[in-house]
Amino acid sequence: MRYLNIKFSPLSAALVLSAACLLGCSVLQAGEQAASAPGDPALAAAVTQAIHDALDYKAKDIQVAVNGGVVMLSGWANQPSDESRARAVASRVPGVMRAYSRVHLWSSDDSY
């Protein structure tokens, strides 16, 4: 087996990394623009409405943010099932590519 003896200078390594970053960034931006066709504000409103319709008052402390069709839920929920149901409902709204959750659970544990 032959090995190639390639030496990179710090300048060439920096150029390769810069080119990779620029290429990756341009692909990400193009994907985000294509994914936001229905519009992030309209999609956020649709997701918020769907969650409130499904969970009623249990969703009052859950906020919705949308970026390029990707939904991020945040805030508070009383039960783990409320958080998972909100994420499931959000993921089924037309136009949502992915739904993530940073929803925290209220604790009834008084040991703190």
Side-chain angles (χ1 to χ4, degrees):
M1 180 180 256
R2 291 181 93 176
Y3 294 97
L4 297 175
N5 189 9
I6 300 174
K7 294 183 181 180
F8 284 104
S9 69
L11 178 60
S12 63
L15 288 173
V16 169
L17 288 173
S18 297
C21 179
L22 289 174
L23 179 61
C25 293
S26 65
V27 169
L28 179 63
Q29 289 173 352
E32 286 179 354
Q33 290 170 354
S36 64
D40 290 342
L43 188 55
V47 170
T48 300
Q49 187 62 50
I51 290 172
H52 284 286
D53 289 348
L55 294 169
D56 196 28
Y57 69 92
K58 294 178 183 179
K60 67 182 177 70
D61 294 321
I62 297 177
Q63 291 82 40
V64 176
V66 179
N67 185 10
V70 177
V71 173
M72 178 59 71
L73 304 177
S74 61
W76 296 90
N78 291 325
Q79 301 290 326
S81 60
D82 297 339
E83 180 273 333
S84 61
R85 187 166 179 212
R87 190 169 22 91
V89 167
S91 68
R92 289 192 297 265
V93 172
V96 172
M97 296 176 62
R98 290 191 181 110
Y100 297 98
S101 174
R102 289 187 183 160
V103 173
H104 301 282
L105 299 177
W106 293 106
S107 174
S108 61
D109 186 5
D110 294 335
S111 64
Y112 293 105

